[in-house]
């Protein structure tokens, strides 16, 4: 026969140890789940590039001319032969000086602040039907071509991990990276807040014919 | 045979009422429906007739919808929740709005892994099984695309609640706190930011401040009690409570800690707010307080004068809703609505207010005040600060114009 005390004490000790590891988990590896990622595994997954200084850009290089070839094959169908955009697919070129206009055109040339971001985005997300299938050299070439279309680099430009971070993008200094909101202040008035005679409708969605129907099957209304 | 004879007898009995005249029969038919409809006199479908279950056939119109002219392709696009037909703070999983950047991948969870590396002590590769072993938490939070209402920045364009506000949804999320995972890897002193990345074709990625990651972010595998829907990131997504939808990375496959932000395409070229002076605001993650009247709305007009319950939803990325006021006269006078429990932090909150409509034209709108004291602005106040090219973060007061015939239109006030 075992005394209950002899059994209980070890059980309590185990429970306490479990509770400590569940609650505290202060030490790395406390749970011990999963496997430590090996350098080789990390190298395969670690595709990100930092926009500001190009950290993470791989070796390789590409010319504007090679970029024109790859672009014609992989990109032009959606983005247009010269980056002008087909349909509602994004324009890659133009819009310089338009950001204060009524209809601004934000493009690589007019809006993007950092050139390495362009390499990173093409590499990770393009071409849309087969993302992340281009070689590093071809991504460099496309980046060079698109920068050249935007008159940001000369025709002789060779894109690589050293040259891309040095490209001065036109809109680089026009971003404010700290959120200034709240930027409106209102006191929640309850009565006679405005003169009833001054309440005026400035715009209405009635009759605009922009709204798909919200009953029946999905609306396939055409592009406006 | 027996049943037919019984029904025939019913007809005879009904016919015998005709003594009172034809009009009386018509009135009786309207005022007293049959005590038993056909479904009360037959046997229904058995259990597991629909092993998963689905809404009634007559609810077929209650679906996510898109605006075909808005985007170049359905793979990089959005769909909108049918808020006009929803009745609580939880969005059913099949109706949760969608925003994909490279379509919806269909992922084999047995092959899906999460890598956590960069400025950590112990880089980890976790399977779904590993992740589900960690201590779990469940939290109810909304997710809103910052472009919700973007089509109304310049003017009232979308005559619909679904299309003007349907890029917000709310669910109970279950998973592991991101802080738990990062404690397991250990965080190096220099780490200040995290890069979070999806396994979709876009390899969608964003930078997040480490403080937010450790505060309340969740790595979730379940939504309203079941596995995430593929459209919502199955088998794993990030939930960043109260912050714009696109940082809630779906199909989450990688978290990397670093010293500085990455300035990815989705936080430079997109999801930045262009101001009238040509400058742009970046890293505007917070969803400011917003509310909308969901009844009446363009899809749900009024059916003649009488007593109605005005219904609506309010939410804020800053915590809890403190108060919602409603006006029927375009903002001359306001009344505080009733908030319905539960009133949860960074979750949709329901409000109602009784209203006796006299049949005259009305301008109905709601205004939320959150627990920080922030008051939902008018579109005019927002435009005064931000112009009309900033695309994102339109959290302005929504005015519905009610016409004497009960029809409802999306309008903006000067």
């Amino acid at each position: 026969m075992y005394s209950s005390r002899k059994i209980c004490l070890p059980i309590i000790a185990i429970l306490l140890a479990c509770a400590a590891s569940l609650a505290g988990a202060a030490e790395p590896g406390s749970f011990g789940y999963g496997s430590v990622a090996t350098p080789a595994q990390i190298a395969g997954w670690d595709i990100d590039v930092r926009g500001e200084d190009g950290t993470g850009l791989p070796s390789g290089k590409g010319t504007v001319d090679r970029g024109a070839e790859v672009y014609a094959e992989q990109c032009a169908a959606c983005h247009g032969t010269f980056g002008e955009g087909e349909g509602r697919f994004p324009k890659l070129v133009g819009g310089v000086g338009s950001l204060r206009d009524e209809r601004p055109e934000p493009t690589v040339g007019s809006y993007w602040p950092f050139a390495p971001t362009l390499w990173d985005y093409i590499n990770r997300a393009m071409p849309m039907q087969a993302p992340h299938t281009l070689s590093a050299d071809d991504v460099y070439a496309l980046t060079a071509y698109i920068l050249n279309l935007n008159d940001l680099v000369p025709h002789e430009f060779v894109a690589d991990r050293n040259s891309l971070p040095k490209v001065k993008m036109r809109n680089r200094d026009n971003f404010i990276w700290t959120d200034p909101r709240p930027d409106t202040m209102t006191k929640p008035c309850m009565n006679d807040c405005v003169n009833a005679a001054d309440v005026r409708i400035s715009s209405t969605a009635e009759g605009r014919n922009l709204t798909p129907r919200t009953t029946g099957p999905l609306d396939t209304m055409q592009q406006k | 045979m027996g049943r037919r004879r019984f029904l025939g007898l019913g007809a005879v009995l009904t016919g015998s009422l005709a003594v009172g005249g034809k009009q009386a029969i018509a009135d009786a038919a309207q005022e007293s429906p049959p005590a038993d409809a056909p479904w009360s006199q037959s046997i229904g479908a058995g259990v597991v007739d629909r092993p998963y279950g689905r809404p009634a056939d007559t609810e077929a119109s209650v679906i996510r919808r898109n605006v075909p002219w808005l985007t170049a392709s359905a793979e990089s696009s959005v769909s909108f929740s049918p808020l006009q037909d929803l009745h609580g703070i939880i969005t059913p999983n099949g109706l949760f709005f969608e925003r994909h950047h490279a379509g919806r991948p269909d992922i084999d969870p047995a092959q899906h892994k999460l890598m956590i590396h960069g400025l950590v002590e112990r880089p980890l590769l976790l399977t779904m099984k590993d992740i589900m072993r960690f201590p779990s938490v469940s939290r109810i939070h909304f997710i809103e695309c910052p472009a919700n209402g973007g089509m109304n920045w310049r003017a009232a364009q979308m005559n619909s609640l679904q299309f003007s506000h349907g890029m917000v949804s709310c669910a109970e999320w279950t998973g592991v706190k991101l802080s738990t995972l990062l404690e397991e890897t250990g965080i190096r002193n220099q780490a200040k930011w995290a890069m979070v990345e999806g396994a979709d074709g876009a390899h969608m990625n964003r930078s997040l401040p480490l403080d937010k990651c450790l505060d309340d972010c969740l790595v979730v595998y379940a939504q309203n009690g079941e596995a995430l829907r593929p459209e919502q990131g199955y088998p794993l997504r990030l939930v960043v409570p109260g912050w714009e939808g696109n940082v809630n990375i779906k199909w989450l496959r990688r978290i990397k800690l670093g010293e500085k932000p990455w300035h990815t395409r989705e936080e430079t070229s997109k999801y930045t707010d262009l101001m009238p002076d040509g400058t742009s605001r970046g890293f505007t993650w917070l969803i400011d307080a917003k509310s909308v009247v969901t009844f009446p709305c363009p899809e749900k007009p009024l059916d003649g004068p009488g007593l109605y319950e005005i219904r609506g939803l309010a939410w804020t990325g800053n915590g809890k809703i403190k108060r919602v006021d409603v006006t029927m006269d375009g903002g001359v006078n306001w009344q505080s609505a009733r908030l319905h429990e539960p009133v949860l932090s960074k979750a949709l909150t329901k409000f109602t207010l009784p209203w006796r409509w006299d049949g005259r034209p009305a301008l109905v709108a709601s205004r939320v005040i959150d627990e920080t004291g922030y008051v939902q602005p008018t579109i005019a106040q927002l435009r005064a600060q931000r112009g009309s090219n900033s695309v994102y973060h339109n959290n302005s007061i929504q005015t519905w114009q009610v016409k004497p015939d009960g029809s409802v239109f999306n309008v903006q006030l000067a």
Side-chain angles (χ1 to χ4, degrees):
Chain A
M1 297 294 273
Y2 298 97
S3 79
S4 60
R5 194 185 153 107
K6 267 184 189 163
I7 293 177
C8 279
L9 279 179
I11 289 176
I12 287 169
I14 290 167
L15 286 175
L16 282 175
C18 288
S21 69
L22 282 173
E27 286 299 307
S30 296
F31 292 98
Y33 305 157
S35 53
V36 171
T38 66
Q41 286 170 327
I42 292 172
W45 289 51
D46 193 13
I47 63 168
D48 54 275
V49 170
R50 207 155 66 192
E52 204 171 3
D53 56 16
T55 301
L57 280 171
S59 57
K61 62 178 193 241
T63 64
V64 172
D65 283 341
R66 170 64 188 156
E69 291 172 22
V70 183
Y71 183 91
E73 196 180 307
Q74 302 281 355
C75 319
C78 293
H79 292 295
T81 308
F82 301 102
E84 72 277 17
E86 294 287 342
R88 293 188 78 90
F89 284 102
K91 284 182 194 207
L92 304 179
V93 172
V96 176
S98 73
L99 298 183
R100 277 172 286 192
D101 295 353
E102 194 177 332
R103 298 280 170 181
E105 280 189 6
T107 70
V108 171
S110 67
Y111 197 68
W112 288 47
F114 303 115
T117 303
L118 182 58
W119 191 96
D120 178 73
Y121 184 66
I122 296 170
N123 180 58
R124 71 173 54 244
M126 291 291 127
M128 205 170 175
Q129 300 301 329
H132 202 207
T133 57
L134 299 175
S135 69
D137 284 348
D138 280 354
V139 177
Y140 275 120
L142 283 173
T143 306
Y145 178 69
I146 293 166
L147 292 173
N148 179 254
L149 278 180
N150 280 290
D151 295 324
L152 286 161
V153 298
H155 183 255
E156 314 78 61
F157 180 76
V158 178
D160 63 23
R161 70 200 317 174
N162 296 314
S163 65
L164 273 187
K166 296 189 189 112
V167 176
K168 176 79 168 78
M169 302 294 276
R170 294 187 182 93
N171 201 39
R172 177 174 181 143
D173 299 327
N174 290 323
F175 285 84
I176 297 149
W177 297 108
T178 49
D179 191 344
R181 293 176 299 162
D183 54 357
T184 55
M185 298 291 169
T186 317
K187 283 191 178 160
C189 165
M190 296 302 284
N191 296 108
D192 299 320
C193 303
V194 289
N195 189 340
D198 293 340
V199 175
R200 188 174 59 80
I201 292 172
S202 58
S203 80
T204 176
E206 184 179 3
R208 280 187 181 246
N209 195 29
L210 290 170
T211 314
R213 64 168 175 258
T214 53
T215 55
L218 287 172
D219 199 329
T220 54
M221 68 192 295
Q222 292 304 299
Q223 295 199 350
K224 298 284 170 182
Chain B
M1 258 332 240
R3 186 158 165 231
R4 244 182 218 180
R5 284 184 57 195
F6 179 73
L7 287 176
L9 180 63
V12 171
L13 287 173
T14 308
S16 69
L17 291 174
V19 180
K22 280 185 179 173
Q23 189 55 48
I25 304 172
D27 289 350
Q30 273 192 352
E31 284 166 16
S32 87
D36 273 335
W39 47 82
S40 303
Q41 294 184 323
S42 57
I43 190 161
V47 297
V48 298
D49 173 55
R50 295 170 180 171
Y52 182 82
R54 57 179 165 84
D57 294 342
T58 43
E59 299 295 311
S61 277
V62 183
I63 50 175
R64 295 185 286 229
R65 292 173 186 275
N66 65 331
V67 180
W69 55 263
L70 185 64
T71 52
S73 73
E75 291 78 20
S76 181
S77 193
V78 297
S79 70
F80 300 76
S81 282
L83 299 182
Q84 68 277 12
D85 288 301
L86 301 183
H87 300 279
I89 64 167
I90 297 293
T91 310
N93 288 344
L95 299 176
F96 205 100
F97 86 92
E98 302 164 285
R99 169 69 170 112
H100 308 327
H101 293 79
R104 179 208 68 221
D106 291 320
I107 293 176
D108 175 2
Q111 294 183 50
H112 188 77
K113 290 187 173 69
L114 174 66
M115 180 180 280
I116 307 177
H117 71 117
L119 294 176
V120 300
E121 302 292 346
R122 191 171 167 270
L124 269 183
L125 199 54
L126 299 167
T127 64
M128 287 305 300
K129 274 188 173 176
D130 297 329
I131 290 163
M132 292 166 93
R133 280 179 73 180
F134 281 97
S136 64
V137 294
S138 294
R139 303 260 192 280
I140 294 175
H141 291 302
F142 75 83
I143 294 179
E144 184 184 22
C145 175
N148 200 19
M151 287 181 285
N152 292 324
W153 256 115
R154 277 171 211 282
Q157 284 209 101
M158 306 309 286
N159 201 48
S160 151
L161 172 62
Q162 181 160 10
F163 293 116
S164 65
H165 286 77
M167 282 196 282
V168 66
S169 295
C170 185
E172 183 202 49
W173 307 101
T174 298
V176 51
K177 289 197 276 188
L178 179 51
S179 62
T180 303
L181 296 179
L182 293 177
E183 281 166 12
E184 177 70 0
T185 60
I187 301 167
R188 293 205 184 157
N189 285 336
Q190 317 94 291
K192 295 284 178 286
W193 289 78
M195 192 285 306
V196 288
E197 181 183 85
D200 56 333
H203 300 76
M204 173 80 188
N205 68 334
R206 292 281 326 242
S207 308
L208 287 173
L210 185 60
D211 288 347
K212 177 66 176 176
C213 295
L214 297 176
D215 177 25
D216 59 358
C217 290
L218 305 173
V219 173
V220 307
Y221 40 80
Q223 169 188 4
N224 293 331
E226 64 178 355
L228 287 170
R229 289 294 172 93
E231 297 90 332
Q232 295 308 321
Y234 180 84
L236 196 65
R237 86 174 297 171
L238 189 65
V239 170
V240 185
W243 284 19
E244 60 185 16
N246 61 86
V247 300
N248 296 250
I249 294 289
K250 301 193 283 191
W251 314 292
L252 180 70
R253 74 160 198 171
R254 191 161 71 101
I255 299 169
K256 180 181 183 180
L257 300 192
E259 296 174 88
K260 296 185 198 173
W262 276 256
H263 295 106
T264 73
R265 185 258 195 178
E266 309 296 350
E267 55 204 26
T268 54
S269 163
K270 303 292 176 186
Y271 303 114
T272 49
D273 313 358
L274 180 57
M275 296 293 121
D277 65 358
T279 65
S280 290
R281 297 175 179 176
F283 297 141
T284 47
W285 303 290
L286 180 72
I287 296 290
D288 270 324
K290 187 167 175 178
S291 70
V292 65
V293 168
T294 57
F295 177 79
C297 66
E299 291 96 329
K300 301 287 176 190
L302 297 179
D303 190 19
L307 183 62
Y308 289 93
E309 181 176 71
I310 289 182
R311 297 174 182 152
L313 293 168
W315 61 98
T316 173
N318 259 328
K320 291 183 181 179
I321 299 304
K322 190 166 81 182
R323 194 175 102 202
V324 176
D325 303 325
V326 174
T327 179
M328 317 333 176
D329 56 16
V332 180
N333 298 301
W334 299 79
Q335 288 173 261
S336 290
R338 177 183 157 214
L339 299 185
H340 290 247
E341 292 291 342
V343 177
L344 301 171
S345 181
K346 303 169 191 177
L348 292 186
T349 297
K350 179 182 165 175
F351 65 86
T352 59
L353 184 70
W355 178 40
R356 188 169 289 282
W357 182 47
D358 56 12
R360 288 190 298 193
L363 294 166
V364 177
S366 63
R367 171 183 73 188
V368 60
I369 299 149
D370 71 20
E371 65 176 327
T372 69
Y374 174 87
V375 181
Q376 185 181 8
T378 63
I379 186 71
Q381 287 168 328
L382 277 189
R383 284 205 197 102
Q385 292 297 318
R386 307 181 200 165
S388 55
N389 283 334
S390 56
V391 180
Y392 306 105
H393 297 295
N394 176 3
N395 67 318
S396 62
I397 289 170
Q398 171 65 51
T399 304
W400 300 127
Q401 176 194 27
V402 179
K403 294 194 174 184
D405 65 358
S407 59
V408 179
F409 296 91
N410 172 17
V411 298
Q412 293 181 354
L413 303 183

